[in-house]
Amino acid sequence: MSDNLPAIPGGDAGSSSDNLPAIPGMGSGASSDNGFLALSFRTAALASAALILKEGMHLLRAHMGRNAAKAARLSEMCDAAEVEPQFTAMILDASAALTRVAEASGEMTDTADTVESDARGFNSAHDQEYRGVYEAVNGSGVQQAKPGFYQRTGRRR
């Protein structure tokens, strides 16, 4: 891990999964990592992270837009005050760069919105499709085969 990153309280630097709460169906084996609750948790976490990103990008877009407008106004004032043209041009270039950042953050907002919507849609579809199976398996009290046990191997007799 980089020395520039802050330490996560209570976490081990070796594994990011140590910071996650214990979830039934999320074990150390590869087959249990895609359990019903684990997948639901992951897609909900993805949707939540996308929402946080979207909100941050809205704030960044507004902030950069204000700064771009202020820089453009400053450039006009410098031109009116007959400041050296090279400095006025530099301020105008900074305004244009800030405008590009504002536009790019708007595109990032749209992308984060799409990711959030898709993650929530996937989570809803996944829940609708598999919630009944999950409830039946956990309600039966009978040990179930591991995921993948009933998959076809491609050979038939």
Side-chain angles (χ1 to χ4, degrees):
M1 185 186 298
S2 171
D3 292 334
N4 297 336
L5 298 175
I8 299 172
D12 182 350
S15 173
S16 64
S17 65
D18 293 339
N19 299 321
L20 297 176
I23 299 172
M26 268 189 85
S28 59
S31 63
S32 63
D33 285 341
N34 288 325
F36 175 78
L37 291 179
L39 195 53
S40 293
F41 173 76
R42 287 180 183 151
T43 55
L46 176 62
S48 177
L51 178 62
I52 291 167
L53 176 62
K54 183 172 72 168
E55 290 173 355
M57 289 294 105
H58 276 296
L59 293 173
L60 178 66
R61 182 179 190 179
H63 184 69
M64 292 296 112
R66 284 190 305 270
N67 285 351
K70 287 177 183 177
R73 177 71 180 127
L74 179 62
S75 175
E76 292 170 3
M77 290 169 35
C78 287
D79 190 40
E82 297 180 359
V83 173
E84 288 281 334
Q86 67 182 14
F87 299 119
T88 303
M90 291 167 105
I91 296 169
L92 197 55
D93 288 345
S95 175
L98 291 168
T99 300
R100 287 192 302 274
V101 170
E103 290 170 356
S105 63
E107 293 171 10
M108 187 68 165
T109 299
D110 294 342
T111 302
D113 188 41
T114 301
V115 169
E116 180 201 6
S117 176
D118 289 350
R120 289 194 190 286
F122 175 84
N123 207 10
S124 177
H126 177 258
D127 189 66
Q128 187 176 15
E129 181 80 17
Y130 294 107
R131 170 67 63 182
V133 173
Y134 174 76
E135 305 266 335
V137 166
N138 285 336
S140 72
V142 176
Q143 178 68 35
Q144 302 293 315
K146 291 183 178 183
F149 179 78
Y150 296 111
Q151 289 180 346
R152 293 184 182 170
T153 60
R155 296 182 289 169
R156 291 190 179 182
R157 291 184 173 186

